[in-house]
Amino acid sequence: MRKPFVAGNWKMNTDSHSSVSLAKDVAAGTSEIAGHKIDVAVIPPFVYIQSVAKVLSASSVAVGAQDIYTEKQGAFTGEISASMLRDIGCTYALCGHSERRHVIGEQDELINKKVSAAISGGLLPILCVGELLEERQSDKTGEVVTRQIKAGLAGLGAEKVSAVTVAYEPVWAIGTGLTATPQQAQEAHNLIRRLLGEMYDGQLAEEIRILYGGSVKPDSAAELMGQQDVDGLLVGGASLSADDFVAIVKGAV
Ligand code: PEP
């Protein structure tokens, strides 16, 4: 049985005050279910991670980072390592979020190094994959997602891959208000699970959690979660409202 997992990606939003109060409200609203019925995480901007982690330390809500660098330490101006993030209370790290792929220009090879660095540094990577609108329209979803999964996990053995969560996030659904239908999500998640079974083994594929992300709202959470291979949700815009995010977490149990 895969425990459901809902994570809120705050992207480049909030400030020193609102990040802490949002985190407190999420912890209060999910206190009866977080940790035992469902894993819950918030993913603030780097600069607010430490204060958010502090207010969440007495709760079962985990903290994640939106990105990491590939190296442990050294002359890499502006970058932040997995071990630094772990040191300030992070559990998870997004790797290859679509905005990093398509706005910043990250390629599969770099994302693969980040997944590996996250695991070596003691973080649990959330590998994000998903197709562009034109790729879906030209029937390339399977091809694109297969390439991103194979490249993102290249060189990692089953033991390391068991630390990974996959997030399927069709790029055309992120921040657009368009959500994949539950059937479209299920089809992509099933493809990913079968692929993991071919790359590793059936048991590992059954254990890995695959989250859906793309304009998830309180009213779409339960139906998406009702799909066999949808194990959780990666929520962007709606995670900036404690009420909406808590409702999504409750809808995902
Ligand atoms: C995301 O940032 O991963 C995301 C899914 O954003 P949104 O929910 O706003 O589409």
Coordinates of all heavy atoms in Angstrom, one line a residue, residues 9 11 97 99 169 173-176 213-216 234-238, ligand 1:
N9 N 4.0 23.3 -3.5 CA 5.2 24.1 -4.1 C 4.8 25.5 -4.1 O 4.0 26.0 -4.9 CB 5.5 23.5 -5.5 CG 6.5 24.4 -6.2 OD1 7.3 25.1 -5.5 ND2 6.6 24.2 -7.5
K11 N 6.6 28.0 -4.9 CA 7.4 28.7 -6.0 C 8.0 30.0 -5.4 O 8.4 30.0 -4.3 CB 6.4 29.0 -7.2 CG 5.6 27.8 -7.6 CD 5.0 27.9 -9.0 CE 4.1 26.8 -9.2 NZ 3.8 26.6 -10.6
H97 N 11.7 20.4 -11.9 CA 10.4 21.0 -12.0 C 10.3 21.6 -13.4 O 11.2 22.2 -13.9 CB 10.1 22.0 -10.9 CG 8.7 22.6 -10.9 ND1 8.3 23.6 -11.7 CD2 7.6 22.2 -10.3 CE1 7.1 23.8 -11.6 NE2 6.6 23.0 -10.7
E99 N 9.3 24.4 -14.4 CA 9.7 25.8 -14.6 C 11.3 25.8 -14.7 O 11.8 26.7 -15.3 CB 9.2 26.6 -13.5 CG 7.7 26.9 -13.7 CD 6.8 27.0 -12.5 OE1 7.3 27.2 -11.4 OE2 5.6 26.7 -12.7
E169 N 3.7 15.9 -14.2 CA 3.1 17.3 -14.3 C 3.1 17.7 -15.7 O 4.1 18.3 -16.2 CB 3.9 18.3 -13.5 CG 4.0 17.9 -12.0 CD 4.3 19.2 -11.2 OE1 5.4 19.7 -11.3 OE2 3.5 19.6 -10.4
A173 N -0.7 22.0 -18.1 CA -1.6 22.1 -16.9 C -1.1 22.8 -15.8 O -1.8 23.1 -14.8 CB -2.1 20.6 -16.5
I174 N 0.2 23.2 -15.8 CA 0.8 23.9 -14.6 C 0.5 25.4 -14.7 O 0.9 26.1 -15.6 CB 2.3 23.6 -14.6 CG1 2.6 22.1 -14.4 CG2 2.9 24.4 -13.4 CD1 4.0 21.7 -14.3
G175 N -0.2 25.8 -13.7 CA -0.5 27.3 -13.5 C -1.4 27.8 -14.6 O -1.6 29.0 -14.7
T176 N -2.1 26.9 -15.3 CA -2.9 27.4 -16.4 C -4.4 27.3 -16.1 O -5.2 27.8 -16.9 CB -2.7 26.5 -17.7 OG1 -3.0 25.1 -17.3 CG2 -1.3 26.6 -18.2
G213 N 0.5 16.6 -10.8 CA 0.5 18.0 -10.6 C 0.1 18.7 -11.8 O 0.4 18.3 -12.9
G214 N -0.6 19.8 -11.6 CA -1.1 20.6 -12.7 C -2.5 21.2 -12.4 O -3.5 20.5 -12.5
S215 N -2.5 22.4 -11.8 CA -3.7 23.1 -11.4 C -4.7 22.3 -10.6 O -5.9 22.4 -10.8 CB -4.4 23.6 -12.7 OG -3.6 24.5 -13.4
V216 N -4.1 21.5 -9.6 CA -5.0 20.8 -8.7 C -5.7 21.8 -7.8 O -5.1 22.7 -7.3 CB -4.2 19.8 -7.9 CG1 -5.1 19.1 -6.9 CG2 -3.6 18.7 -8.8
L234 N 1.0 17.1 -6.4 CA 2.0 18.2 -6.2 C 1.2 19.5 -6.6 O 0.7 19.6 -7.7 CB 3.2 18.0 -7.1 CG 4.3 19.1 -7.0 CD1 4.8 19.4 -5.6 CD2 5.5 18.7 -7.9
V235 N 1.1 20.4 -5.6 CA 0.1 21.5 -5.8 C 0.9 22.8 -5.8 O 1.7 23.1 -4.9 CB -0.9 21.5 -4.6 CG1 -1.9 22.6 -4.8 CG2 -1.5 20.1 -4.4
G236 N 0.7 23.6 -6.8 CA 1.4 24.9 -6.9 C 0.5 26.0 -6.3 O 0.3 26.2 -5.1
G237 N -0.2 26.7 -7.2 CA -1.0 27.9 -6.9 C -2.0 27.7 -5.7 O -2.0 28.5 -4.8
A238 N -2.7 26.5 -5.6 CA -3.6 26.3 -4.5 C -2.9 26.1 -3.2 O -3.6 26.1 -2.2 CB -4.6 25.2 -4.9
Ligands
PEP1 C1 3.5 23.0 -9.6 O1 4.1 24.1 -9.4 O2 4.2 22.0 -9.5 C2 2.1 23.0 -10.0 C3 1.5 21.9 -10.3 O3 1.6 24.3 -10.1 P1 0.0 24.6 -10.2 O4 -0.8 23.7 -9.2 O5 -0.2 26.0 -9.9 O6 -0.4 24.2 -11.6

